[in-house]
């Protein structure tokens, strides 16, 4: 289990994370939702120790160090592959560095998404690069797969394919943390939603709980973020008088 | 797990780094050193009326090495930067079990290139020293060695 306690992070005078407590358990598929600048990326990067932070982050009771970090994998919209080498060379690199690299999964996913294995990754389209980034994170053989906006730039068909494949192939103990804005799209994939805003966790709910209470994820998120649907009309009222707007709409 | 040793960052092929070092050694250590040493030796045969000192000759033979060293440092920095260029492969490197691997990948070939350049420069310098002694009557061995060290530092 990944256990985060009292995690705080400041960038200059900006408080990016404030006293965050969170647990990620094996087998969970967790959606991490929040507006831009809410602290999603900072939270994920802190887990890997890519940035300094205060608080504690442990993996099965041990701090995340070089000894156990291979149990975590990362897919990011910034990309973490080597752009000048091809997929085959990446597979070899992963085989050399990650004992539990899943070559079978790698081959199946590469074929499924029709990605070329002998072309430098920099020559693939942005969508294909995103797919490749996620494939490598899924094939590393990690127990915890952390994804930060991995589908930015992918079309809807690609994304839907990915969700289906992801659901079908994840092992029972593999945990996925998926940070994304695509709330409705992933609502059928995740089993838990964590909401973050201004560096604080403002909601943490199992989707089964929502179902039992007859609510849906979008409503829960809107309520947690105190979303005001009338603010659209308020803004429009200031720009265009109501009568004119009705005329135009008619 | 038996891991293959990688001497270069994955994004920069080893052959490219080796070619860069060979070009640098050729240009700076061999050609520039030869020109400098030759100029000094020509002065020794009174072309401008002033004899070159041994320091002029062997110092000239070594001068190009510092340019080669600068190239080695620049290439080491380029190797490190490759983990941050066009993607953040540094994130992947930080997830491997080895803390030292990124340094090994970035520094091993530049250090080998630096050592190779140094050895060649010393050989050039010794060759020039031999030629200088051969051309004159510079027989004071202790001063020769002192001059060599002066040229080095």
């Amino acid at each position: 289990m990944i256990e985060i306690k009292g995690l705080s992070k400041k960038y200059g005078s900006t408080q990016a994370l404030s006293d965050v407590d969170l647990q990620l358990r094996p087998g969970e598929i967790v959606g991490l939702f929040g507006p831009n600048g809410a602290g999603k990326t900072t939270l994920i990067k802190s887990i890997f120790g890519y940035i300094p932070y205060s608080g504690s982050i442990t993996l099965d009771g041990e701090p995340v160090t070089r000894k156990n970090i291979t149990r975590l994998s990362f897919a990011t919209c910034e990309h973490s592959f080597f752009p000048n080498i091809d997929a085959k060379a990446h597979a070899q690199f992963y085989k050399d560095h990650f004992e539990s690299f899943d070559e079978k999964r790698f081959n199946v996913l590469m074929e499924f998404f029709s990605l070329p294995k002998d072309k430098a990754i920099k020559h693939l389209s942005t969508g294909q690069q995103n797919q490749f980034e996620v494939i490598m994170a899924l094939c590393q053989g990690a127990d915890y797969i952390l994804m930060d906006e991995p589908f930015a730039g992918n079309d809807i068909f690609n994304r839907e394919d990915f969700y289906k494949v992801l659901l079908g192939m994840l092992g029972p103990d593999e945990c996925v943390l998926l940070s994304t804005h695509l709330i409705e799209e992933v609502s059928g994939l995740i089993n838990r939603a964590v909401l973050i805003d201004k560096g604080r966790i403002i909601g943490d709910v199992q989707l089964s709980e929502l179902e039992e209470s007859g609510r849906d994820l979008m409503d829960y998120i809107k309520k947690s973020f105190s979303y005001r649907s009338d603010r659209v009309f308020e803004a429009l009222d200031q720009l265009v008088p109501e009568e004119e707007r009705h005329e135009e709409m008619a | 797990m038996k891991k293959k040793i990688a001497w270069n960052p994955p994004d920069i092929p080893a052959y490219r780094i080796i070619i860069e070092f060979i070009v640098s050694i050729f240009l700076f250590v061999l050609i520039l050193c030869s020109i400098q040493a030759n100029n000094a030796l020509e002065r020794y045969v009174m072309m401008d009326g002033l004899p070159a000192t041994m320091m002029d000759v062997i110092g000239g033979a070594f001068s190009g090495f510092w340019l080669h060293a600068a190239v080695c440092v620049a290439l080491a920095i380029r190797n490190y930067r490759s983990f941050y260029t066009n993607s953040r492969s540094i994130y992947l490197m930080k997830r491997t079990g080895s803390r030292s691997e990124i340094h090994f990948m970035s520094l091993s070939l530049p250090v080998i290139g630096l050592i190779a350049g140094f050895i060649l420069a010393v050989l050039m310098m010794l060759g020039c020293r031999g030629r200088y002694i051969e051309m004159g009557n510079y027989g004071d061995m202790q001063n020769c060695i002192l001059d060599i060290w002066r040229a080095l530092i």
Side-chain angles (χ1 to χ4, degrees):
Chain A
M1 179 174 71
I2 293 177
E3 188 162 28
I4 299 165
K5 277 186 193 165
L7 175 62
S8 295
K9 169 73 187 170
K10 246 183 165 183
Y11 292 112
S13 59
T14 309
Q15 191 74 44
L17 293 173
S18 295
D19 206 21
V20 169
D21 292 331
L22 185 68
Q23 292 181 340
L24 300 173
R25 288 170 283 270
E28 283 187 324
I29 304 179
V30 183
L32 179 63
F33 305 114
N36 289 333
K40 303 186 293 294
T41 301
T42 303
L43 172 62
I44 291 176
K45 286 184 180 173
S46 300
I47 294 173
F48 287 98
Y50 291 157
I51 50 174
Y53 57 84
S54 61
S56 108
I57 300 175
T58 56
L59 175 58
D60 291 340
E62 300 285 327
V64 178
T65 63
R66 291 277 183 171
K67 280 184 190 164
N68 57 8
I69 199 167
T70 54
R71 292 182 59 204
L72 311 179
S73 71
F74 186 36
T76 165
C77 53
E78 290 178 88
H79 298 151
S80 59
F81 48 68
F82 300 110
N84 291 338
I85 63 173
D86 61 21
K88 267 193 275 182
H90 275 90
Q92 188 57 52
F93 181 90
Y94 273 71
K95 259 194 265 180
D96 289 341
H97 290 84
F98 302 104
E99 269 178 56
S100 43
F101 174 67
D102 191 337
E103 195 168 8
K104 191 177 168 193
R105 190 184 273 188
F106 171 77
N107 288 327
V108 169
L109 287 174
M110 288 296 289
E111 200 159 309
F112 181 80
F113 289 103
S114 309
L115 295 183
K117 282 187 184 170
D118 50 2
K119 206 171 173 182
I121 307 303
K122 69 178 175 187
H123 295 309
L124 304 183
S125 69
T126 307
Q128 287 177 316
Q129 288 180 355
N130 290 341
Q131 287 170 348
F132 184 73
E133 176 78 10
V134 177
I135 288 173
M136 295 320 289
L138 291 172
C139 299
Q140 185 188 305
D143 300 324
Y144 296 86
I145 301 161
L146 281 64
M147 301 192 194
D148 185 20
E149 300 280 359
F151 307 115
N154 279 65
D155 59 57
I156 177 77
F157 306 108
N158 270 320
R159 294 199 300 263
E160 286 196 343
D161 279 349
F162 232 116
Y163 302 143
K164 286 174 198 161
V165 170
L166 196 63
L167 267 181
M169 68 173 206
L170 282 178
D173 291 331
E174 282 178 287
C175 170
V176 175
L177 176 68
L178 179 58
S179 156
T180 179
H181 293 290
L182 308 167
I183 299 161
E184 284 179 317
E185 273 185 33
V186 300
S187 60
L189 173 76
I190 59 174
N191 47 38
R192 180 181 162 202
V194 173
L195 314 186
I196 186 168
D197 189 29
K198 294 175 187 143
R200 291 180 186 279
I201 302 290
I202 59 160
D204 188 348
V205 68
Q206 298 288 334
L207 261 67
S208 54
E209 281 175 36
L210 287 178
E211 274 172 32
E212 279 168 22
S213 60
R215 290 181 294 168
D216 77 356
L217 179 61
M218 207 58 182
D219 290 338
Y220 173 77
I221 289 174
K222 281 180 179 173
K223 199 176 170 194
S224 300
F225 281 102
S226 309
Y227 177 73
R228 286 171 51 228
S229 55
D230 59 339
R231 73 184 186 131
V232 176
F233 294 105
E234 278 176 21
L236 287 173
D237 281 342
Q238 286 174 28
L239 295 169
V240 188
E242 198 176 351
E243 305 81 53
E244 277 183 36
R245 201 167 69 234
H246 285 307
E247 277 170 24
E248 277 175 23
M249 285 171 85
Chain B
M1 184 168 46
K2 200 179 173 188
K3 203 190 292 181
K4 261 196 326 191
I5 296 174
W7 295 82
N8 54 302
D11 266 328
I12 304 172
Y15 74 84
R16 186 173 137 193
I17 302 176
I18 291 167
I19 288 171
E20 286 161 350
F21 286 128
I22 290 172
V23 169
S24 172
I25 285 175
F26 187 73
L27 282 180
F28 298 131
V29 181
L30 296 182
I31 294 186
L32 188 65
C33 291
S34 301
I35 292 169
Q36 295 263 1
N38 201 49
N39 287 347
L41 282 171
E42 278 178 3
R43 272 178 54 209
Y44 182 80
V45 289
M46 309 293 276
M47 282 189 68
D48 60 0
L50 285 169
T53 64
M54 182 161 183
M55 183 71 176
D56 287 336
V57 180
I58 60 177
F62 208 76
S63 59
F65 168 75
W66 297 113
L67 283 171
H68 172 66
V71 169
C72 291
V73 171
L75 292 185
I77 293 168
R78 191 271 313 268
N79 286 352
Y80 274 111
R81 279 179 54 88
S82 74
F83 295 101
Y84 298 85
T85 309
N86 297 326
S87 82
R88 306 283 284 179
S89 51
I90 184 69
Y91 292 152
L92 175 54
M93 291 306 298
K94 284 185 173 179
R95 285 204 316 276
T96 64
S98 167
R99 184 183 293 274
S100 58
E101 190 171 17
I102 186 170
H103 304 301
F104 189 81
M105 284 175 169
S106 301
L107 295 176
S108 57
L109 287 179
V111 167
I112 289 171
L114 191 68
I115 292 169
F118 180 78
I119 290 170
L120 267 173
V122 169
L123 289 175
M124 292 272 300
M125 196 173 66
L126 290 174
C128 292
R129 175 183 155 268
R131 182 83 184 114
Y132 184 86
I133 292 169
E134 193 184 287
M135 289 171 76
N137 293 314
Y138 198 104
D140 186 347
M141 256 342 241
Q142 200 178 2
N143 281 342
C144 281
I145 291 161
L146 272 178
D147 280 345
I148 288 169
W149 281 110
R150 273 190 212 121
L152 279 174
I153 51 177

